[in-house]
Amino acid sequence: MKLTHPDFAHSRSRYERYGASNSESIMPSASAVSRTRPSFATWLGTTNDITRTFLSAGGVPGLINMGGGLPEPGTFPVPEIARLAGEAVKAHPGQVLGYGPIEGLPELRDALAKRFSTPTTRLSRDNVFVTSGGMQGLDLLGKVLLDEGGLVAGQFPTYLGALDAWRPRQPAFRNMELDDPAFDAHVALAGAQFAYAVPNFSNPTGRMVPLATRKALVAAAHCTGTWLVEDDPYGLLQYDGEPLPRLIDISALGSDGTTYTGPVIYMGTLSKEIAPGLRIGWVIAEPEMIMALTMAKQGSDLCTSGLTQHIALAALEAGLIDRIQPLLLSTYRARRDALCDAMRTELGGWFEWEVPVGGMFVWAIARDPALDTDLLLHHALEAGVCVSPSSVFDAAGRNRRAIRINFTLNEPDRLAEGVRRLAEALVTMQARKP
């Protein structure tokens, strides 16, 4: 779906009206200076406003938002965060309120290196880079690895935030359909600037990439030299089964025991583990990549908030993530089950889907190949429910047969009502077809 962002359209018209009404008092003559202001960058015409839609949906009275990857605010550890914030300001006022190191608070980098080290994955501070949320990591990777037209091999369907982060670089995309039995990792990675995957409960599909495919991706990265980006925001949100090894840990097997220098770039965030408002993420990679990201961040926001970095450090040291994880898992598991139960009742004739073993989403594919989920979104919003159409997870915008439905934000009865409204929208859409 390629929609014109209303803010851009409105601001353009305001600029043009201003020039028309005030030009005589500002400019010497119409012939001397053009009345037309420069255009916005061309890449803005290729983006979508779906993310803006579901982030602002909470302000629409009565709308049930099942479109975004939003956590349940009731799981946020508010008293603990408030206490940690107060303690950080009192104990470290200079670090909390001033500028800090571009690559992140040294103690937090040490804590993250310790958290993700294994007997074979040896990490030090030099392997860790702190970002202002997971999205900044994606943006900075695009800055350091992509020139215009550079090739990205992306797990397909692809997280729309990654597509948006790299869109200003105007890359070319090669889709990696990891579920295809004929998928060849070496062919997929060859010649790409980097490959991108969400192995744990992929966004948008919610699927877990099998171990054999993980090993094939890592082997191809080592063989071809292509960077392999492992985005892992949902790794702790596993409701069934056993976890599979991270790509970076597979990459480190058989290493000589020194600090990690392999091709995997591992990304994570506290947004799904504690709260998104902290805006704390990280990149773990070989030291030269960390240095490149530092140079890119220098021209971005200069440094991540000292306050939230100290909160994150204290939370890690106090074991806060481990304490709240049972609440997250029990809450989200029940909501996943409630959503899938409602879908079986209301949408079974329209869509097919798999029950995800983790993450935040159900990916539903229309039984009718002609069903257009871009059009469905229009009718769904009219019916009072928001979902994400599949076109925004396709760099070319051609996949219009599926929807991504979030189950973590809403309580079970509200999820059931949202699905009922979605079924109503489907009936309305069919009735209005020419």
Side-chain angles (χ1 to χ4, degrees), residues 253-266:
L253 291 174
S255 64
D256 58 7
T258 58
T259 299
Y260 182 74
T261 58
V264 175
I265 302 170
Y266 179 80

Side-chain angles (χ1 to χ4, degrees), residues 143-161:
K143 287 183 176 180
V144 303
L145 291 177
L146 286 175
D147 290 317
E148 183 174 339
L151 179 61
V152 177
Q155 180 180 359
F156 184 80
T158 311
Y159 170 45
L160 80 162

Side-chain angles (χ1 to χ4, degrees), residues 80-401:
E80 292 91 340
I81 296 298
R83 177 178 58 80
L84 295 177
E87 291 174 354
V89 173
K90 292 177 181 178
H92 310 283
Q95 293 181 350
V96 164
L97 301 177
Y99 292 109
I102 298 172
E103 55 268 68
L105 186 69
E107 296 87 348
L108 179 57
R109 296 170 69 201
D110 289 339
L112 290 167
K114 180 180 178 181
R115 180 185 179 188
F116 292 104
S117 287
T118 71
T120 55
T121 307
R122 302 288 186 88
L123 302 174
S124 72
R125 179 187 301 178
D126 293 338
N127 293 109
V128 181
F129 179 79
V130 179
T131 61
S132 301
M135 277 297 300
Q136 186 180 58
L138 294 171
D139 176 59
L140 296 179
L141 283 171
K143 287 183 176 180
V144 303
L145 291 177
L146 286 175
D147 290 317
E148 183 174 339
L151 179 61
V152 177
Q155 180 180 359
F156 184 80
T158 311
Y159 170 45
L160 80 162
L163 297 177
D164 285 345
W166 303 324
R167 206 179 300 274
R169 319 302 296 181
Q170 298 180 298
F173 286 94
R174 175 189 292 159
N175 292 336
M176 299 194 301
E177 301 198 33
L178 303 184
D179 296 328
D180 187 342
F183 173 70
D184 187 321
H186 284 76
V187 172
L189 270 64
Q193 288 293 104
F194 62 90
Y196 173 75
V198 186
N200 291 324
F201 327 121
S202 305
N203 186 351
T205 66
R207 294 175 186 145
M208 176 174 272
V209 175
L211 179 58
T213 306
R214 295 176 186 229
K215 291 180 176 179
L217 287 168
V218 171
H222 279 268
C223 180
T224 63
T226 299
W227 296 103
L228 176 56
V229 179
E230 177 181 14
D231 197 358
D232 191 25
Y234 315 107
L236 290 185
L237 301 182
Q238 181 157 0
Y239 316 121
D240 306 307
E242 296 297 323
L244 293 177
R246 301 182 182 98
L247 303 186
I248 193 169
D249 293 335
I250 297 172
S251 172
L253 291 174
S255 64
D256 58 7
T258 58
T259 299
Y260 182 74
T261 58
V264 175
I265 302 170
Y266 179 80
M267 300 179 57
T269 174
L270 291 184
S271 293
K272 309 304 187 288
E273 297 179 354
I274 299 181
L278 293 176
R279 306 314 300 144
I280 292 292
W282 52 83
V283 178
I284 296 175
E286 60 95 21
E288 287 189 9
M289 174 58 69
I290 300 302
M291 289 300 298
L293 292 170
T294 301
M295 294 300 295
K297 185 175 171 72
Q298 178 176 307
S300 179
D301 65 349
L302 194 61
C303 63
T304 297
S305 163
L307 174 59
T308 57
Q309 286 190 82
H310 271 281
I311 293 172
L313 174 61
L316 288 172
E317 292 176 341
L320 181 59
I321 294 173
D322 293 335
R323 289 207 303 275
I324 66 175
Q325 188 182 11
L327 173 62
L328 290 174
L329 296 182
S330 62
T331 301
Y332 294 163
R333 183 186 294 111
R335 294 183 179 189
R336 175 204 62 181
D337 294 344
L339 173 63
C340 291
D341 287 345
M343 290 176 66
R344 278 188 285 271
T345 301
E346 301 283 354
L347 302 178
W350 296 94
F351 291 94
E352 55 186 359
W353 62 89
E354 297 177 1
V355 177
V357 299
M360 291 184 155
F361 310 107
V362 172
W363 181 249
I365 301 173
R367 296 183 185 277
D368 179 0
L371 194 151
D372 186 337
T373 54
D374 277 10
L375 182 59
L376 174 60
L377 175 62
H378 170 75
H379 291 284
L381 292 172
E382 284 187 347
V385 62
C386 179
V387 295
S388 294
S390 53
S391 63
V392 299
F393 306 100
D394 177 358
R398 289 191 289 263
N399 182 358
R400 299 189 174 194
R401 189 181 169 182

Side-chain angles (χ1 to χ4, degrees), residues 66 335 338-339 342 406-407 410-419:
M66 302 195 299
R335 294 183 179 189
L339 173 63
N406 169 261
F407 55 80
N410 295 286
E411 295 183 356
D413 59 344
R414 194 163 171 83
L415 288 169
E417 173 61 15
V419 171

